[in-house]
Amino acid sequence: MDGDSPRPPRRPEREGSYNYDIESMDGSGAGGVPPWRPQNGSSEALLRYDDGGGAGDRGSTYEPLLRKRTMNTTSQIAIVGANVCPIESLDYEVVENDLFKQDWRSRKKKQIFQYVVLKWSLVLLIGLLTGVVGFFNNLAVENIAGLKLLRTSDLMLEGRYIKAFFVYGGCNLVLAASAAAICAYIAPAAAGSGIPEVKAYLNGVDAYSILAPSTLFVKIFGSILGVSAGFVLGKEGPMVHTGACIANLLGQGGSRKYHLTCNWLRYFKNDRDRRDLITCGSAAGVAAAFRAPVGGVLFALEEAASWWRSALLWRTFFTTAVVAVVLRGLIEFCRSGKCGLFGQGGLIMFDLSSTVATYSTPDLIVIIVLGIIGGIFGGLFNFLLDKILRVYSIINERGAPFKILLTITISVITSMCSYGLPWLAACTRCPVDAVEQCPTVGRSGNYKNFQCPPGYYNDLASLFFNTNDDAIRNLFSNGTATEFRMSSLFIFFTAIYCLGLVTYGVAVPSGLFIPVILAGATYGRIVGTLLGSISDLDPGLFALLGAASFLGGTMRMTVSVCVILLELTNDLPMLPLVMLVLLISKTIADNFNKGVYDQIVVMKGLPFMEAHAEPYMRHLVAGDVVSGPLITLSGVEKVGNIVHALRITGHNGFPVVDEPPITETPELVGLVTRSHLLVLLNSKNFMKGRVKTSGSFVLRRFGAFDFAKPGSGKGLKIEDLDFTDEEMEMYVDLHPITNTSPYTVVETMSLAKAAILFRELGLRHLLVVPKAPDRPPIVGILTRHDFMPEHIHSLFPNLNPHKYHSASMAG
């Protein structure tokens, strides 16, 4: 294709073009074309364009998901809990300046050993705390929801059906309103599953407060209240976000805001180590949700993490093993009846190992049908969810009261469906060979009495009038071929499919795993019943395969979902069939749209870097997408110039160029970050003349940890610093804090190769240098924003990314 299609013409330079000032909101850097100082001396134009936080008069077009606004996934703002917030990139590159080199030279074996021990101790703590939180969530949900269902059942046994509905619906309403209130007013970022945000963070995108302590608090208690309220959602997805929040809180040394700090965790005050800890936290969340330690490791590898290495595999595996041990110990403690209603329900585990899975060639036909249905339903689910979330954004952007009102509305609809629809089902006589009591006395079980006379049960109530975990357990149960009527399964599938769509997006922590498993298991039983004449598999196994097909169709995960389901069911002989149905459903669904979490990342406006470069990037070079003006600093720079650059821009990276008389010709020294400049300016150790020093004062005055990245919202800001007129005319030597080995590419490098380099190394800034030696030493800086399709399309309107994408797919 490269040889057939000429490279698009280089766009003309536009006078007064300040594209990179949009990066002031992202804080990712400054880029441009020579000269090194602002063109035409137009600092006033820069300031005017940056006014209002960096978006200028174009800010309204950079708000994704909101009403009457143009979608743009390259935005430097994102939707977090339906609130617009600025986002920044994370810097996983090691900053090799003089301070860093001195710190590593001075480290003794004792300090290195302490660092290694602390790292393993932290992952141990992440596993312990995530396991305890996961158990606490289940304990609270089972008791709150159990008491609600028991009280309603008692009233129904007395024939007081109207009062039973008001008790049931009233409890759901109070729980839902409470969950929405704490989420809307305390931590809007806690809404939803949180998996897209964690995935974006591990890709290098940091949105405000997504891992804050307040988000952790609301995630835990909001999830408990939301699941207890009877919503068609799960607590399993939010557990991934919870584990990541716990890891972030430990990794940054606690929280100064809430007076929870630990100075001995200073070794981890960098994005790279926090990234590894948060990866372990996300894996621990899956392990705590499903009691699937190996599935948690594979989930982090397949879906969450963008960078992986063998050392991280060991630590992640250790973390999930700790979670498994903690959960097993706590469950054993509860077997004695000390945990209230927690026991049979909660911490979902469906043991299908007693069912002998013998399958033959005709069974494969049913498997293929299930895979195709799962792919179609999954693609449709993602399409409809996209549309519904856009509608919800119109409501949610109006403020917290509207978020709560929307949640209450969905709660009322859910209560009416779960209480009203079972009345459509006919009563069924209890089987004479029933293994458990029929009708069921209590909150869980396969044989709910509901409105039926003694000796009969309501099969639809057994699915609706239970917790979601118990409903899945009923669908997965073996030896129950005649327990559920086809009409009841059709009603339940339709209701769960629709309720799952309208529930995700309200202002409560909500996961998609459980609704998807519920719907998939239901149509799995339907298909198994319809095609039972050509297959000998148990209906419970059909439910398992249906759940796998729907998970593959919506989330597009294969290996991790396969292992999670096998760990859930303890049914290893089903491995080949689960693998086959997952591959078929994912292949079918990929023809329609992306996975659900990938879609949500785009809708939220998070600039996610894919592992591969887009085909149209092969027709561009790095120099095509950098734009001016480029702001650089001298190796020995006037304080006033630095302060002015920091005030008029939000850039987080500035190239440092030595100029005469320090050097004979302009020479690129490296890159200095905003946070390092602020720490150095705050010390106010300035010089009267422009003379390059040895940097000995900086090396004596500061340690590497003085320039370490602080936690959320703790760093210095230029507004916090004040300088006299005399100080503004003095100079400061930037060489000791300049990263002298930044990654650079020549301006003629293919943009596709630059994108792969940027993503694989986890960069925040990629310097573009000229090909000709007689030009200024730097052309510009590539940041995450420059690789986004919308940005490239804005520079080259005649370039059709979809055309090249279609051509590559056809080839």
Side-chain angles (χ1 to χ4, degrees):
M1 186 171 67
D2 291 342
D4 296 335
S5 302
R7 183 168 64 84
R10 188 182 179 97
R11 63 181 176 81
E13 296 295 343
R14 292 164 294 176
E15 185 177 358
S17 173
Y18 297 106
N19 293 66
Y20 254 81
D21 285 327
I22 298 173
E23 285 294 330
S24 62
M25 294 196 72
D26 171 54
S28 297
V33 294
W36 318 313
R37 303 293 176 184
Q39 288 179 320
N40 306 324
S42 182
S43 61
E44 182 182 354
L46 265 173
L47 182 59
R48 183 170 60 249
Y49 190 84
D50 241 35
D51 191 31
D57 57 0
R58 293 172 51 187
S60 61
T61 64
Y62 279 76
E63 297 181 8
L65 254 184
L66 296 185
R67 182 182 50 175
K68 297 180 182 178
R69 293 180 172 93
T70 304
M71 282 290 294
N72 189 336
T73 57
T74 73
S75 170
Q76 282 73 50
I77 56 178
I79 297 296
V80 178
N83 283 355
V84 180
C85 72
I87 59 174
E88 290 194 3
S89 295
L90 298 168
D91 195 350
Y92 296 142
E93 180 189 1
V94 176
V95 179
E96 294 184 348
N97 53 28
D98 292 347
L99 280 167
F100 172 82
K101 295 173 184 177
Q102 176 183 262
D103 177 66
W104 272 103
R105 285 193 298 264
S106 62
R107 282 195 182 184
K108 301 177 182 178
K109 289 184 178 179
K110 177 182 177 182
Q111 292 173 307
I112 297 174
F113 177 76
Q114 184 183 16
Y115 170 74
V116 175
V117 170
L118 280 175
K119 183 174 286 188
W120 284 96
S121 300
L122 278 179
V123 295
L124 172 65
L125 282 173
I126 291 170
L128 288 172
L129 292 176
T130 306
V132 170
V133 170
F135 174 78
F136 172 73
N137 279 7
N138 282 273
L139 180 68
V141 167
E142 293 297 317
N143 279 281
I144 296 172
L147 289 172
K148 175 190 69 180
L149 292 172
L150 279 176
R151 179 57 181 158
T152 307
S153 298
D154 291 341
L155 290 171
M156 295 192 73
L157 289 173
E158 298 172 6
R160 303 163 70 181
Y161 299 118
I162 297 178
K163 184 175 181 181
F165 170 72
F166 281 107
V167 169
Y168 177 73
C171 289
N172 287 344
L173 191 66
V174 171
L175 292 169
S178 302
I182 63 173
C183 186
Y185 286 107
I186 299 178
S193 70
I195 293 178
E197 287 85 350
V198 173
K199 183 176 179 178
Y201 184 94
L202 294 177
N203 188 259
V205 179
D206 186 16
Y208 177 73
S209 79
I210 60 173
L211 298 175
S214 58
T215 304
L216 173 62
F217 171 82
V218 174
K219 206 73 182 183
I220 294 173
F221 292 98
S223 179
I224 291 171
L225 294 170
V227 176
S228 301
F231 281 124
V232 181
L233 52 82
K235 54 189 177 296
E236 286 69 24
M239 275 303 303
V240 175
H241 197 178
T242 300
C245 288
I246 291 172
N248 180 68
L249 185 63
L250 292 173
Q252 70 180 19
S255 170
R256 289 183 183 176
K257 181 179 178 180
Y258 299 101
H259 306 289
L260 301 170
T261 55
C262 297
N263 291 328
W264 51 274
L265 293 178
R266 63 186 184 278
Y267 291 112
F268 303 95
K269 289 187 175 181
N270 61 81
D271 288 334
R272 179 182 290 259
D273 282 320
R274 288 179 189 167
R275 175 191 68 188
D276 291 350
L277 292 175
I278 290 168
T279 303
C280 293
S282 64
V286 174
F290 295 105
R291 291 171 65 188
V294 180
V297 175
L298 293 175
F299 173 85
L301 171 61
E302 182 180 7
E303 182 67 14
S306 294
W307 293 277
W308 198 263
R309 60 184 190 278
S310 57
L312 183 58
L313 177 66
W314 275 100
R315 282 194 290 274
T316 308
F317 187 66
F318 174 72
T319 308
T320 57
V322 171
V323 172
V325 172
V326 169
L327 289 178
R328 188 172 185 84
L330 292 173
I331 291 172
E332 287 297 326
F333 171 76
C334 284
R335 292 192 189 278
S336 59
K338 299 179 180 179
C339 300
L341 297 174
F342 179 80
Q344 293 182 353
L347 283 170
I348 52 179
M349 185 72 180
F350 322 109
D351 194 348
L352 301 181
S353 58
S354 59
T355 303
V356 179
T358 57
Y359 43 88
S360 57
T361 303
D363 295 324
L364 297 180
I365 299 175
V366 184
I367 303 305
I368 293 172
V369 171
L370 271 177
I372 294 172
I373 293 174
I376 294 173
F377 278 153
L380 179 63
F381 187 91
N382 292 0
F383 172 79
L384 294 175
L385 187 65
D386 181 282
K387 302 301 180 185
I388 290 171
L389 289 179
R390 293 174 190 275
V391 174
Y392 280 2
S393 70
I394 300 173
I395 302 171
N396 289 335
E397 71 170 324
R398 294 177 178 272
F402 286 88
K403 295 181 185 180
I404 298 172
L405 182 61
L406 175 62
T407 306
I408 289 174
T409 303
I410 301 301
S411 175
V412 172
I413 294 173
T414 304
S415 297
M416 293 174 66
C417 289
S418 55
Y419 188 88
L421 289 178
W423 291 87
L424 301 177
C427 294
T428 306
R429 183 181 293 275
C430 289
V432 294
D433 57 346
V435 178
E436 54 185 89
Q437 186 179 9
C438 180
T440 301
V441 177
R443 67 175 183 85
S444 62
N446 280 31
Y447 306 106
K448 281 287 185 179
N449 180 258
F450 208 66
Q451 89 287 11
C452 295
Y456 290 80
Y457 72 95
N458 186 319
D459 60 343
L460 195 51
S462 300
L463 299 175
F464 270 118
F465 221 61
N466 264 319
T467 61
N468 293 331
D469 290 0
D470 287 329
I472 296 175
R473 192 172 286 106
N474 293 346
L475 289 168
F476 276 28
S477 59
N478 53 65
T480 56
T482 59
E483 181 177 321
F484 299 101
R485 298 171 184 264
M486 286 292 292
S487 58
S488 298
L489 291 174
F490 273 111
I491 293 172
F492 185 71
F493 169 72
T494 304
I496 290 299
Y497 194 92
C498 296
L499 287 174
L501 283 169
V502 299
T503 303
Y504 192 87
V506 299
V508 295
S510 53
L512 282 173
F513 272 100
I514 293 303
V516 169
I517 291 176
L518 267 175
T522 305
Y523 74 67
R525 268 192 175 259
I526 294 174
V527 172
T529 304
L530 292 175
L531 302 180
S533 59
I534 63 172
S535 176
D536 296 327
L537 292 178
D538 187 88
L541 298 180
F542 276 117
L544 168 64
L545 294 171
S549 70
F550 202 16
L551 284 168
T554 54
M555 300 181 183
R556 315 295 161 83
M557 293 182 285
T558 53
V559 180
S560 55
V561 166
C562 182
V563 173
I564 288 171
L565 288 174
L566 292 178
E567 288 185 283
L568 274 177
T569 57
N570 193 27
D571 193 12
L572 190 59
M574 290 295 292
L575 175 62
L577 297 185
V578 174
M579 291 172 64
L580 180 61
V581 78
L582 277 168
L583 289 172
I584 294 173
S585 63
K586 182 185 185 302
T587 303
I588 295 295
D590 280 339
N591 292 299
F592 300 112
N593 44 42
K594 291 184 176 181
V596 63
Y597 296 131
D598 294 321
Q599 283 192 174
I600 295 172
V601 165
V602 173
M603 283 189 288
K604 286 179 175 288
L606 299 168
F608 189 87
M609 290 283 293
E610 298 289 350
H612 60 276
E614 297 296 338
Y616 59 84
M617 290 183 177
R618 300 172 191 167
H619 302 270
L620 299 170
V621 296
D624 287 332
V625 297
V626 293
S627 49
L630 175 65
I631 297 179
T632 68
L633 300 173
S634 297
V636 180
E637 185 60 270
K638 183 181 290 188
V639 173
N641 290 342
I642 300 175
V643 172
H644 183 65
L646 294 177
R647 284 177 177 170
I648 68 171
T649 72
H651 303 329
N652 264 283
F654 298 90
V656 177
V657 176
D658 271 344
E659 300 172 334
I662 296 178
T663 57
E664 293 183 1
T665 58
E667 176 184 320
L668 177 63
V669 179
L671 189 79
V672 65
T673 63
R674 168 181 287 265
S675 60
H676 290 185
L677 285 172
L678 290 172
V679 173
L680 189 62
L681 290 176
N682 192 43
S683 69
K684 294 194 174 183
N685 188 73
F686 307 139
M687 305 176 297
K688 292 186 177 180
R690 190 178 183 185
V691 181
K692 181 178 179 181
T693 66
S694 63
S696 57
F697 168 77
V698 174
L699 298 178
R700 290 195 309 268
R701 170 72 173 76
F702 296 103
F705 294 120
D706 294 318
F707 291 88
K709 182 175 180 178
S712 303
K714 300 177 185 174
L716 282 171
K717 296 180 175 59
I718 187 62
E719 294 80 9
D720 301 331
L721 305 182
D722 188 30
F723 302 97
T724 63
D725 293 339
E726 183 181 357
E727 289 172 335
M728 295 284 274
E729 295 298 320
M730 299 178 75
Y731 292 85
V732 61
D733 190 356
L734 303 181
H735 290 91
I737 63 169
T738 299
N739 180 9
T740 55
S741 57
Y743 286 95
T744 61
V745 297
V746 69
E747 62 181 336
T748 55
M749 175 183 276
S750 161
L751 188 62
K753 292 181 68 174
I756 293 173
L757 175 68
F758 190 95
R759 201 265 190 188
E760 291 298 322
L761 296 176
L763 303 181
R764 187 175 188 177
H765 309 98
L766 182 60
L767 275 62
V768 180
V769 296
K771 188 175 180 66
D774 57 341
R775 293 175 56 193
I778 182 167
V779 175
I781 296 180
L782 289 174
T783 64
R784 180 176 296 266
H785 166 71
D786 299 298
F787 296 105
M788 294 296 110
E790 287 78 7
H791 172 68
I792 295 173
H793 184 67
S794 69
L795 299 178
F796 302 95
N798 296 327
L799 182 67
N800 186 355
H802 302 291
K803 169 187 171 183
Y804 294 120
H805 180 71
S806 302
S808 67
M809 293 290 288

